[in-house]
Coordinates of all heavy atoms in Angstrom, one line a residue:
M1 N -17.1 13.3 -11.8 CA -17.5 12.0 -12.3 C -18.7 11.6 -11.5 O -18.7 11.6 -10.3 CB -16.4 11.0 -12.2 CG -16.8 9.7 -12.6 SD -15.5 8.4 -12.3 CE -14.2 9.0 -13.4
S2 N -19.8 11.2 -12.2 CA -21.0 10.8 -11.5 C -20.8 9.4 -11.0 O -20.0 8.6 -11.5 CB -22.2 10.9 -12.4 OG -22.1 9.9 -13.4
I3 N -21.6 9.0 -10.1 CA -21.5 7.6 -9.5 C -21.8 6.6 -10.6 O -21.2 5.5 -10.6 CB -22.5 7.5 -8.3 CG1 -22.0 8.3 -7.1 CG2 -22.7 6.0 -7.9 CD1 -22.9 8.3 -5.9
G4 N -22.7 6.9 -11.5 CA -23.0 6.0 -12.6 C -21.8 5.7 -13.5 O -21.7 4.6 -14.1
M5 N -20.8 6.6 -13.5 CA -19.7 6.4 -14.4 C -18.5 5.8 -13.7 O -17.5 5.5 -14.3 CB -19.3 7.7 -15.0 CG -20.4 8.3 -15.9 SD -19.9 9.9 -16.6 CE -18.5 9.5 -17.6
M6 N -18.6 5.6 -12.3 CA -17.4 5.1 -11.6 C -17.2 3.6 -11.8 O -18.2 2.9 -11.9 CB -17.6 5.4 -10.1 CG -17.5 6.9 -9.8 SD -17.7 7.3 -8.0 CE -16.1 6.9 -7.5
N7 N -16.0 3.2 -11.8 CA -15.7 1.8 -11.9 C -16.2 1.0 -10.7 O -16.1 1.5 -9.6 CB -14.1 1.7 -12.0 CG -13.7 0.3 -12.3 OD1 -13.9 -0.6 -11.5 ND2 -13.1 0.1 -13.4
E8 N -16.6 -0.2 -11.0 CA -17.2 -1.0 -9.9 C -16.1 -1.3 -8.8 O -16.5 -1.7 -7.7 CB -17.8 -2.3 -10.5 CG -16.7 -3.2 -11.1 CD -17.4 -4.4 -11.9 OE1 -18.4 -4.2 -12.5 OE2 -16.8 -5.5 -11.8
G9 N -14.9 -1.2 -9.2 CA -13.8 -1.5 -8.2 C -13.8 -0.5 -7.0 O -13.3 -0.8 -6.0
Y10 N -14.5 0.6 -7.2 CA -14.6 1.6 -6.1 C -15.6 1.1 -5.0 O -15.6 1.7 -3.9 CB -15.0 3.0 -6.6 CG -13.9 3.7 -7.3 CD1 -13.9 3.8 -8.7 CD2 -12.9 4.3 -6.6 CE1 -12.9 4.5 -9.4 CE2 -11.9 5.0 -7.3 CZ -11.9 5.1 -8.7 OH -10.9 5.7 -9.3
F11 N -16.3 0.1 -5.3 CA -17.4 -0.3 -4.4 C -17.2 -1.7 -3.9 O -18.1 -2.4 -3.5 CB -18.7 -0.3 -5.2 CG -19.1 1.1 -5.7 CD1 -18.9 1.4 -7.0 CD2 -19.5 2.1 -4.8 CE1 -19.1 2.7 -7.5 CE2 -19.7 3.4 -5.3 CZ -19.6 3.7 -6.7
V12 N -15.9 -2.1 -3.8 CA -15.5 -3.4 -3.2 C -15.6 -3.3 -1.7 O -15.1 -2.3 -1.1 CB -14.1 -3.8 -3.7 CG1 -13.7 -5.0 -3.0 CG2 -14.2 -4.0 -5.2
G13 N -16.1 -4.3 -1.0 CA -16.2 -4.3 0.4 C -14.9 -4.7 1.1 O -14.0 -5.2 0.4
R14 N -14.9 -4.6 2.4 CA -13.7 -5.0 3.2 C -13.3 -6.5 3.0 O -12.2 -6.8 2.9 CB -14.0 -4.8 4.7 CG -13.9 -3.3 5.1 CD -14.3 -3.2 6.5 NE -14.2 -1.9 7.0 CZ -13.1 -1.4 7.7 NH1 -12.2 -2.2 8.0 NH2 -13.1 -0.1 8.0
K15 N -14.3 -7.4 3.0 CA -14.1 -8.8 2.8 C -13.4 -9.1 1.5 O -12.4 -9.9 1.5 CB -15.3 -9.6 3.0 CG -15.8 -9.7 4.4 CD -17.1 -10.6 4.5 CE -17.5 -10.6 6.0 NZ -18.7 -11.4 6.1
E16 N -13.9 -8.5 0.4 CA -13.3 -8.8 -0.9 C -11.9 -8.2 -1.0 O -11.0 -8.9 -1.5 CB -14.2 -8.1 -2.0 CG -15.5 -8.8 -2.2 CD -16.6 -8.2 -1.3 OE1 -16.3 -7.4 -0.5 OE2 -17.8 -8.6 -1.5
L17 N -11.7 -7.0 -0.4 CA -10.3 -6.4 -0.4 C -9.4 -7.3 0.4 O -8.3 -7.6 0.0 CB -10.4 -5.0 0.1 CG -9.0 -4.3 0.2 CD1 -8.4 -4.2 -1.2 CD2 -9.2 -2.9 0.8
T18 N -9.8 -7.7 1.6 CA -9.0 -8.5 2.5 C -8.6 -9.8 1.8 O -7.5 -10.3 1.8 CB -9.7 -8.8 3.8 OG1 -10.0 -7.5 4.4 CG2 -8.9 -9.6 4.7
N19 N -9.6 -10.5 1.2 CA -9.4 -11.8 0.5 C -8.4 -11.6 -0.7 O -7.5 -12.4 -0.9 CB -10.7 -12.4 0.0 CG -11.5 -13.0 1.1 OD1 -10.9 -13.3 2.2 ND2 -12.8 -13.0 1.0
W20 N -8.5 -10.5 -1.4 CA -7.6 -10.2 -2.6 C -6.2 -10.1 -2.1 O -5.3 -10.6 -2.7 CB -8.1 -9.0 -3.3 CG -7.3 -8.7 -4.5 CD1 -7.3 -9.3 -5.7 CD2 -6.3 -7.7 -4.6 NE1 -6.4 -8.7 -6.6 CE2 -5.7 -7.7 -5.9 CE3 -5.7 -6.8 -3.7 CZ2 -4.7 -6.9 -6.4 CZ3 -4.7 -5.9 -4.2 CH2 -4.2 -6.0 -5.5
I21 N -6.0 -9.3 -1.0 CA -4.7 -9.1 -0.5 C -4.1 -10.4 0.1 O -3.0 -10.8 -0.2 CB -4.7 -8.0 0.6 CG1 -5.0 -6.7 0.0 CG2 -3.4 -8.0 1.4 CD1 -5.3 -5.6 1.0
R22 N -5.0 -11.2 0.7 CA -4.5 -12.5 1.3 C -4.1 -13.4 0.1 O -3.0 -14.1 0.3 CB -5.7 -13.1 2.1 CG -5.2 -14.1 3.1 CD -6.4 -14.7 3.9 NE -6.8 -13.6 4.8 CZ -8.1 -13.3 5.0 NH1 -9.1 -14.0 4.3 NH2 -8.5 -12.4 5.9
V23 N -4.8 -13.5 -0.9 CA -4.5 -14.4 -2.1 C -3.2 -13.9 -2.8 O -2.4 -14.7 -3.1 CB -5.7 -14.4 -3.1 CG1 -5.3 -15.1 -4.4 CG2 -6.8 -15.2 -2.4
H24 N -3.1 -12.6 -3.0 CA -2.0 -12.1 -3.9 C -0.7 -11.7 -3.1 O 0.4 -11.7 -3.7 CB -2.5 -11.0 -4.8 CG -3.5 -11.4 -5.7 ND1 -3.3 -12.2 -6.8 CD2 -4.9 -11.2 -5.7 CE1 -4.4 -12.5 -7.4 NE2 -5.4 -11.9 -6.8
F25 N -0.8 -11.3 -1.9 CA 0.3 -10.6 -1.2 C 0.7 -11.2 0.1 O 1.9 -11.3 0.5 CB 0.1 -9.1 -1.1 CG 0.0 -8.5 -2.5 CD1 -1.3 -8.1 -2.9 CD2 1.0 -8.3 -3.3 CE1 -1.5 -7.6 -4.2 CE2 0.9 -7.7 -4.6 CZ -0.4 -7.4 -5.0
D26 N -0.3 -11.4 1.0 CA 0.1 -11.8 2.4 C -1.0 -12.7 2.9 O -2.1 -12.3 3.3 CB 0.1 -10.5 3.2 CG 0.5 -10.7 4.6 OD1 0.7 -11.8 5.0 OD2 0.7 -9.7 5.4
K27 N -0.7 -14.0 3.0 CA -1.6 -15.0 3.5 C -2.1 -14.7 4.9 O -3.2 -15.1 5.3 CB -1.0 -16.4 3.4 CG -0.8 -16.8 2.0 CD -0.2 -18.2 2.0 CE 0.1 -18.8 0.6 NZ 0.0 -18.0 -0.6
A28 N -1.3 -14.0 5.7 CA -1.6 -13.7 7.1 C -2.4 -12.4 7.3 O -2.8 -12.0 8.4 CB -0.4 -13.6 7.9
F29 N -2.7 -11.7 6.2 CA -3.4 -10.4 6.3 C -4.8 -10.7 6.9 O -5.6 -11.5 6.5 CB -3.6 -9.8 4.9 CG -4.1 -8.4 4.9 CD1 -3.3 -7.4 5.1 CD2 -5.4 -8.2 4.6 CE1 -3.8 -6.1 5.1 CE2 -5.9 -6.9 4.5 CZ -5.1 -5.8 4.8
N30 N -5.2 -9.8 7.9 CA -6.5 -10.0 8.6 C -7.5 -8.9 8.4 O -8.7 -9.2 8.2 CB -6.2 -10.1 10.1 CG -5.5 -11.4 10.4 OD1 -5.9 -12.5 9.9 ND2 -4.5 -11.3 11.2
K31 N -7.1 -7.7 8.4 CA -8.0 -6.6 8.3 C -7.5 -5.4 7.6 O -6.3 -5.2 7.5 CB -8.5 -6.2 9.7 CG -7.4 -5.9 10.7 CD -7.9 -5.7 12.1 CE -6.7 -5.4 12.9 NZ -6.6 -5.8 14.2
V32 N -8.4 -4.6 7.1 CA -8.0 -3.4 6.2 C -7.1 -2.5 7.0 O -6.2 -1.9 6.5 CB -9.3 -2.7 5.7 CG1 -9.0 -1.4 5.0 CG2 -10.1 -3.7 4.8
E33 N -7.4 -2.4 8.3 CA -6.6 -1.5 9.2 C -5.1 -1.8 9.1 O -4.2 -1.0 9.4 CB -7.1 -1.5 10.6 CG -8.4 -0.9 10.8 CD -9.6 -1.7 10.4 OE1 -9.4 -2.9 10.1 OE2 -10.7 -1.2 10.2
D34 N -4.7 -3.1 8.8 CA -3.3 -3.5 8.7 C -2.6 -2.8 7.5 O -1.4 -2.9 7.4 CB -3.2 -5.0 8.6 CG -3.7 -5.8 9.8 OD1 -3.7 -5.1 10.9 OD2 -4.0 -7.0 9.7
L35 N -3.3 -2.2 6.7 CA -2.7 -1.5 5.6 C -1.9 -0.3 6.1 O -1.1 0.3 5.4 CB -3.8 -1.0 4.6 CG -4.5 -2.1 3.8 CD1 -5.6 -1.5 3.0 CD2 -3.5 -2.8 2.8
A36 N -2.2 0.1 7.3 CA -1.5 1.3 7.9 C 0.0 1.1 7.9 O 0.8 2.1 7.9 CB -2.0 1.6 9.3
S37 N 0.5 -0.1 7.9 CA 2.0 -0.3 7.9 C 2.7 0.1 6.6 O 3.9 0.3 6.6 CB 2.3 -1.7 8.3 OG 2.0 -2.6 7.2
G38 N 1.9 0.1 5.5 CA 2.5 0.4 4.2 C 3.1 -0.8 3.5 O 3.5 -0.7 2.3
V39 N 3.2 -1.9 4.2 CA 3.9 -3.1 3.6 C 3.2 -3.6 2.3 O 3.8 -3.8 1.3 CB 4.0 -4.2 4.6 CG1 4.5 -5.5 4.0 CG2 5.0 -3.8 5.7
V40 N 1.9 -3.7 2.4 CA 1.1 -4.2 1.3 C 1.2 -3.3 0.1 O 1.4 -3.7 -1.1 CB -0.4 -4.5 1.7 CG1 -1.2 -4.9 0.4 CG2 -0.5 -5.6 2.7
Y41 N 1.1 -2.0 0.3 CA 1.3 -1.0 -0.8 C 2.6 -1.2 -1.5 O 2.7 -1.1 -2.7 CB 1.1 0.4 -0.3 CG -0.2 0.7 0.3 CD1 -0.4 1.2 1.6 CD2 -1.4 0.6 -0.4 CE1 -1.6 1.5 2.2 CE2 -2.7 0.9 0.1 CZ -2.7 1.3 1.4 OH -4.0 1.6 1.9
C42 N 3.7 -1.4 -0.7 CA 5.0 -1.5 -1.3 C 5.1 -2.8 -2.1 O 5.6 -2.8 -3.2 CB 6.0 -1.6 -0.2 SG 6.3 0.0 0.6
H43 N 4.4 -3.9 -1.6 CA 4.4 -5.1 -2.4 C 3.7 -5.0 -3.7 O 4.1 -5.5 -4.7 CB 3.8 -6.3 -1.6 CG 4.8 -6.9 -0.6 ND1 5.8 -7.7 -1.1 CD2 4.9 -6.8 0.7 CE1 6.5 -8.1 0.0 NE2 6.0 -7.5 1.1
I44 N 2.5 -4.3 -3.6 CA 1.7 -4.0 -4.9 C 2.6 -3.3 -5.9 O 2.6 -3.6 -7.1 CB 0.4 -3.3 -4.5 CG1 -0.5 -4.2 -3.7 CG2 -0.3 -2.8 -5.8 CD1 -1.7 -3.6 -3.2
L45 N 3.2 -2.2 -5.4 CA 4.0 -1.4 -6.4 C 5.1 -2.2 -6.9 O 5.4 -2.2 -8.1 CB 4.6 -0.1 -5.7 CG 5.5 0.8 -6.6 CD1 4.7 1.3 -7.7 CD2 6.1 1.9 -5.7
N46 N 5.8 -3.0 -6.1 CA 6.9 -3.8 -6.6 C 6.4 -4.9 -7.5 O 7.2 -5.3 -8.4 CB 7.6 -4.4 -5.4 CG 9.1 -4.3 -5.6 OD1 9.6 -3.3 -5.9 ND2 9.8 -5.5 -5.4
D47 N 5.2 -5.4 -7.4 CA 4.7 -6.4 -8.3 C 4.4 -5.7 -9.7 O 4.7 -6.3 -10.7 CB 3.4 -7.1 -7.8 CG 3.7 -8.2 -6.9 OD1 4.9 -8.4 -6.5 OD2 2.8 -8.9 -6.4
V48 N 3.9 -4.5 -9.7 CA 3.6 -3.8 -10.9 C 4.9 -3.3 -11.6 O 5.0 -3.3 -12.8 CB 2.6 -2.7 -10.6 CG1 2.4 -1.8 -11.9 CG2 1.3 -3.2 -10.1
H49 N 5.8 -2.8 -10.7 CA 7.1 -2.3 -11.2 C 8.2 -3.0 -10.5 O 8.6 -2.5 -9.4 CB 7.1 -0.7 -11.0 CG 6.1 0.0 -11.7 ND1 6.3 0.3 -13.1 CD2 5.0 0.6 -11.3 CE1 5.2 1.0 -13.4 NE2 4.5 1.2 -12.4
P50 N 8.7 -4.1 -11.0 CA 9.7 -4.9 -10.3 C 10.9 -4.0 -9.9 O 11.3 -3.1 -10.7 CB 10.1 -5.9 -11.3 CG 8.8 -6.1 -12.1 CD 8.2 -4.8 -12.2
N51 N 11.4 -4.2 -8.7 CA 12.6 -3.5 -8.2 C 12.4 -2.0 -8.0 O 13.3 -1.2 -7.8 CB 13.8 -3.7 -9.1 CG 14.1 -5.1 -9.3 OD1 14.2 -5.9 -8.3 ND2 14.4 -5.6 -10.5
A52 N 11.1 -1.6 -7.9 CA 10.8 -0.2 -7.5 C 11.2 0.1 -6.1 O 11.6 1.2 -5.7 CB 9.3 0.1 -7.8
I53 N 11.1 -0.9 -5.3 CA 11.3 -0.8 -3.8 C 12.3 -1.9 -3.4 O 12.1 -3.0 -3.7 CB 10.0 -0.9 -3.0 CG1 9.1 0.3 -3.4 CG2 10.3 -0.9 -1.5 CD1 7.7 0.2 -2.8
P54 N 13.3 -1.5 -2.6 CA 14.2 -2.6 -2.1 C 13.4 -3.3 -0.9 O 13.4 -2.8 0.2 CB 15.4 -1.8 -1.6 CG 14.9 -0.4 -1.4 CD 13.8 -0.2 -2.3
L55 N 12.8 -4.4 -1.2 CA 11.9 -5.0 -0.2 C 12.7 -5.5 1.0 O 12.1 -5.6 2.1 CB 11.2 -6.2 -0.9 CG 10.2 -5.9 -1.9 CD1 9.5 -7.1 -2.5 CD2 9.1 -4.9 -1.4
G56 N 14.0 -5.7 0.9 CA 14.8 -6.0 2.1 C 14.8 -4.9 3.1 O 15.1 -5.2 4.3
K57 N 14.5 -3.7 2.7 CA 14.5 -2.6 3.7 C 13.1 -2.3 4.3 O 13.0 -1.5 5.2 CB 14.9 -1.3 2.9 CG 16.4 -1.3 2.5 CD 16.8 0.0 2.0 CE 18.3 0.0 1.6 NZ 18.7 1.4 1.1
L58 N 12.1 -3.1 3.8 CA 10.8 -2.9 4.4 C 10.8 -3.4 5.9 O 11.4 -4.4 6.2 CB 9.8 -3.7 3.6 CG 8.9 -3.1 2.6 CD1 8.0 -4.1 1.9 CD2 8.1 -1.9 3.1
K59 N 10.0 -2.7 6.7 CA 9.9 -3.2 8.1 C 8.6 -4.0 8.1 O 7.5 -3.5 8.3 CB 9.8 -2.0 9.0 CG 10.9 -1.0 8.9 CD 11.6 -0.9 10.2 CE 12.8 0.1 9.9 NZ 13.6 0.3 11.1
M60 N 8.7 -5.3 7.9 CA 7.6 -6.2 7.7 C 6.7 -6.3 8.9 O 5.5 -6.3 8.7 CB 8.1 -7.6 7.3 CG 9.0 -7.7 6.1 SD 8.1 -7.1 4.6 CE 7.1 -8.5 4.3
G61 N 7.2 -6.3 10.1 CA 6.4 -6.4 11.3 C 6.1 -5.1 11.9 O 6.0 -4.9 13.1
A62 N 6.0 -4.0 11.1 CA 5.8 -2.7 11.6 C 4.7 -2.6 12.5 O 3.6 -3.0 12.2 CB 5.6 -1.7 10.4
K63 N 5.0 -2.0 13.7 CA 4.0 -1.8 14.7 C 4.0 -0.4 15.3 O 3.0 0.0 16.0 CB 4.2 -2.8 15.9 CG 4.1 -4.2 15.6 CD 2.7 -4.7 15.5 CE 2.7 -6.2 15.2 NZ 1.7 -6.6 14.3
T64 N 5.0 0.3 15.0 CA 5.1 1.7 15.5 C 5.0 2.7 14.4 O 5.2 2.4 13.2 CB 6.5 1.9 16.2 OG1 7.5 1.8 15.3 CG2 6.7 0.9 17.3
E65 N 4.7 3.9 14.8 CA 4.6 5.0 13.8 C 5.9 5.2 13.0 O 5.9 5.5 11.8 CB 4.3 6.3 14.6 CG 3.3 7.2 14.0 CD 2.9 8.3 15.0 OE1 3.7 9.3 15.0 OE2 1.9 8.2 15.7
V66 N 7.0 5.1 13.7 CA 8.3 5.3 13.1 C 8.5 4.3 12.0 O 8.9 4.6 10.9 CB 9.5 5.2 14.1 CG1 10.8 5.2 13.4 CG2 9.4 6.3 15.1
D67 N 8.1 3.0 12.2 CA 8.2 2.0 11.2 C 7.3 2.2 10.1 O 7.6 2.0 8.9 CB 8.0 0.6 11.8 CG 9.1 0.2 12.8 OD1 10.2 0.8 12.7 OD2 8.9 -0.8 13.5
Y68 N 6.0 2.7 10.4 CA 5.1 3.0 9.3 C 5.6 4.0 8.4 O 5.6 3.9 7.2 CB 3.7 3.4 9.9 CG 2.9 2.4 10.7 CD1 1.8 2.8 11.4 CD2 3.3 1.1 10.8 CE1 1.1 1.9 12.1 CE2 2.5 0.2 11.5 CZ 1.4 0.6 12.2 OH 0.7 -0.3 12.9
L69 N 6.1 5.1 9.0 CA 6.7 6.2 8.2 C 7.8 5.7 7.3 O 8.0 6.1 6.2 CB 7.1 7.3 9.1 CG 6.0 8.1 9.8 CD1 6.6 9.1 10.8 CD2 5.1 8.8 8.8
H70 N 8.7 4.9 7.9 CA 9.8 4.3 7.1 C 9.3 3.6 5.9 O 9.8 3.8 4.8 CB 10.6 3.3 8.0 CG 11.6 2.5 7.3 ND1 12.9 3.0 7.0 CD2 11.5 1.3 6.7 CE1 13.5 2.1 6.3 NE2 12.7 1.0 6.1
N71 N 8.3 2.8 6.0 CA 7.7 2.1 4.9 C 7.1 3.0 3.9 O 7.2 2.8 2.7 CB 6.7 1.0 5.4 CG 7.4 -0.1 6.1 OD1 8.6 -0.4 6.0 ND2 6.6 -0.9 6.9
F72 N 6.4 4.0 4.3 CA 5.7 4.9 3.4 C 6.8 5.8 2.7 O 6.6 6.2 1.5 CB 4.7 5.8 4.0 CG 3.3 5.0 4.2 CD1 2.9 4.5 5.3 CD2 2.5 4.9 3.0 CE1 1.7 3.8 5.4 CE2 1.3 4.2 3.1 CZ 0.9 3.7 4.3
K73 N 7.9 6.1 3.3 CA 9.0 6.8 2.6 C 9.5 5.9 1.5 O 9.9 6.4 0.4 CB 10.0 7.2 3.6 CG 9.6 8.4 4.4 CD 10.7 8.8 5.4 CE 10.1 10.0 6.3 NZ 11.1 10.4 7.3
L74 N 9.7 4.6 1.8 CA 10.1 3.7 0.7 C 9.1 3.7 -0.4 O 9.6 3.6 -1.6 CB 10.3 2.3 1.3 CG 11.5 2.0 2.2 CD1 11.4 0.6 2.8 CD2 12.8 2.2 1.5
L75 N 7.9 3.7 -0.1 CA 6.8 3.7 -1.1 C 6.9 5.0 -2.0 O 6.9 4.9 -3.2 CB 5.4 3.6 -0.5 CG 4.3 3.6 -1.5 CD1 4.3 2.4 -2.4 CD2 3.0 3.6 -0.7
Q76 N 7.1 6.1 -1.3 CA 7.2 7.4 -2.0 C 8.5 7.4 -2.9 O 8.4 7.8 -4.1 CB 7.3 8.6 -1.1 CG 7.4 9.9 -1.8 CD 6.2 10.2 -2.6 OE1 5.1 10.4 -2.0 NE2 6.3 10.4 -3.9
N77 N 9.6 6.8 -2.4 CA 10.8 6.7 -3.2 C 10.6 5.8 -4.4 O 11.1 6.1 -5.5 CB 12.0 6.2 -2.4 CG 12.4 7.3 -1.4 OD1 12.2 8.5 -1.5 ND2 13.1 6.8 -0.3
G78 N 9.8 4.7 -4.2 CA 9.5 3.9 -5.4 C 8.7 4.6 -6.4 O 8.9 4.4 -7.6
F79 N 7.7 5.4 -6.0 CA 6.9 6.2 -6.9 C 7.8 7.1 -7.7 O 7.7 7.2 -8.9 CB 5.9 7.0 -6.2 CG 4.7 6.3 -5.7 CD1 3.8 6.9 -4.8 CD2 4.3 5.0 -6.2 CE1 2.7 6.2 -4.3 CE2 3.2 4.3 -5.8 CZ 2.4 4.9 -4.8
N80 N 8.7 7.8 -7.0 CA 9.6 8.7 -7.6 C 10.6 8.0 -8.6 O 10.8 8.5 -9.7 CB 10.5 9.5 -6.6 CG 9.7 10.4 -5.7 OD1 8.5 10.7 -6.0 ND2 10.2 10.7 -4.6
R81 N 11.1 6.9 -8.2 CA 12.0 6.1 -9.1 C 11.3 5.7 -10.4 O 11.9 5.6 -11.4 CB 12.4 4.8 -8.3 CG 13.7 4.2 -8.8 CD 14.2 3.1 -7.8 NE 14.7 3.7 -6.6 CZ 14.2 3.5 -5.4 NH1 13.2 2.6 -5.2 NH2 14.8 4.0 -4.3
K82 N 10.0 5.4 -10.3 CA 9.3 4.9 -11.5 C 8.5 6.0 -12.2 O 7.7 5.8 -13.0 CB 8.3 3.8 -11.1 CG 9.1 2.5 -10.7 CD 10.0 2.0 -11.8 CE 10.8 0.8 -11.3 NZ 11.7 0.3 -12.4
S83 N 8.8 7.3 -11.8 CA 8.1 8.5 -12.4 C 6.6 8.4 -12.2 O 5.9 8.8 -13.2 CB 8.6 8.6 -13.8 OG 10.0 8.8 -13.9
I84 N 6.1 8.0 -11.1 CA 4.7 7.9 -10.8 C 4.4 9.2 -10.1 O 4.9 9.5 -9.0 CB 4.3 6.7 -10.0 CG1 4.6 5.4 -10.8 CG2 2.8 6.8 -9.6 CD1 4.5 4.2 -10.0
D85 N 3.5 10.0 -10.7 CA 3.2 11.3 -10.2 C 2.2 11.2 -9.1 O 1.0 11.5 -9.2 CB 2.7 12.2 -11.3 CG 2.6 13.7 -10.8 OD1 3.2 14.1 -9.9 OD2 1.8 14.4 -11.5
R86 N 2.6 10.7 -7.9 CA 1.7 10.6 -6.8 C 2.5 10.9 -5.5 O 3.6 10.4 -5.3 CB 1.3 9.1 -6.7 CG 0.2 8.8 -5.7 CD -1.1 9.5 -5.9 NE -1.7 9.1 -7.2 CZ -2.7 9.8 -7.7 NH1 -3.2 10.8 -7.1 NH2 -3.1 9.5 -8.9
Y87 N 2.0 11.9 -4.8 CA 2.8 12.3 -3.6 C 2.1 11.8 -2.3 O 0.9 12.0 -2.2 CB 2.9 13.8 -3.6 CG 3.6 14.4 -2.4 CD1 5.0 14.1 -2.2 CD2 3.0 15.0 -1.4 CE1 5.7 14.6 -1.1 CE2 3.6 15.5 -0.3 CZ 5.0 15.3 -0.1 OH 5.7 15.7 1.0
I88 N 2.8 11.2 -1.5 CA 2.3 10.8 -0.2 C 2.8 11.8 0.9 O 4.0 11.9 1.0 CB 2.8 9.4 0.2 CG1 2.4 8.4 -0.9 CG2 2.3 8.9 1.5 CD1 3.0 7.0 -0.8
E89 N 1.9 12.4 1.6 CA 2.3 13.3 2.6 C 2.7 12.5 3.9 O 1.9 12.5 4.8 CB 1.2 14.4 2.9 CG 1.0 15.2 1.6 CD 0.0 16.4 1.9 OE1 0.1 17.0 3.0 OE2 -0.8 16.7 1.1
V90 N 3.9 12.0 3.8 CA 4.3 11.1 4.9 C 4.3 11.7 6.3 O 3.8 11.1 7.2 CB 5.8 10.6 4.6 CG1 6.3 9.7 5.7 CG2 5.8 9.8 3.3
D91 N 4.7 13.0 6.4 CA 4.6 13.7 7.6 C 3.2 13.8 8.2 O 3.1 13.8 9.4 CB 5.3 15.0 7.5 CG 6.8 14.9 7.2 OD1 7.4 13.9 7.5 OD2 7.3 15.8 6.6
K92 N 2.2 13.9 7.3 CA 0.9 14.1 7.8 C 0.2 12.7 8.2 O -0.9 12.7 8.8 CB 0.0 14.7 6.7 CG 0.3 16.2 6.6 CD -0.7 16.9 5.6 CE -0.4 18.3 5.6 NZ -1.3 19.0 4.7
L93 N 0.9 11.6 7.9 CA 0.3 10.3 8.2 C 0.3 10.1 9.8 O -0.4 9.3 10.3 CB 1.1 9.2 7.6 CG 0.9 9.1 6.1 CD1 1.9 8.0 5.5 CD2 -0.5 8.8 5.7
T94 N 1.2 10.8 10.4 CA 1.3 10.6 11.9 C 0.1 11.3 12.5 O -0.2 12.0 13.1 CB 2.6 11.2 12.5 OG1 2.7 12.6 12.1 CG2 3.8 10.4 11.9

């Protein structure tokens, strides 16, 4: 696909992405690097496909690698549950 054919959404800056996440998912969201916890991704999937992920099992304050992996495994299970053909190499995230 040439750059001329790519959707303008691919060219959104950090500020726009951060503001969008803050408005729709997490008012306390500060920086793109905070996506590493997997929490926002899980919320997005759950908004698009309700009950895809048991949000009560999410480690909301994830700060460690173990917690990040836990959240991404929940995300992968949500993809599988909703037959979304997307594989997250959870083990390679470390």
Side-chain angles (χ1 to χ4, degrees):
M1 178 183 293
S2 70
I3 291 178
M5 296 177 65
M6 291 182 79
N7 184 297
E8 64 188 41
Y10 287 104
F11 302 102
V12 173
R14 286 176 175 260
K15 286 183 181 179
E16 290 88 355
L17 179 60
T18 301
N19 287 335
W20 182 79
I21 292 169
R22 202 176 289 132
V23 167
H24 296 290
F25 300 101
D26 183 357
K27 289 178 181 16
F29 188 80
N30 291 314
K31 54 190 179 211
V32 173
E33 291 79 12
D34 293 338
L35 292 170
S37 73
V39 171
V40 173
Y41 297 122
C42 289
H43 278 286
I44 292 170
L45 179 62
N46 223 51
D47 278 6
V48 174
H49 296 283
N51 302 315
I53 296 172
L55 294 178
K57 290 185 177 183
L58 262 178
K59 305 239 179 179
M60 300 300 282
K63 300 279 185 220
T64 66
E65 221 172 85
V66 172
D67 291 343
Y68 293 172
L69 290 174
H70 169 83
N71 289 343
F72 277 101
K73 284 179 183 177
L74 288 175
L75 181 62
Q76 182 65 63
N77 290 338
F79 284 163
N80 295 342
R81 200 172 289 118
K82 294 301 177 180
S83 300
I84 297 171
D85 189 23
R86 187 65 56 196
Y87 179 70
I88 301 170
E89 296 187 39
V90 175
D91 296 332
K92 287 189 177 182
L93 290 174
T94 56

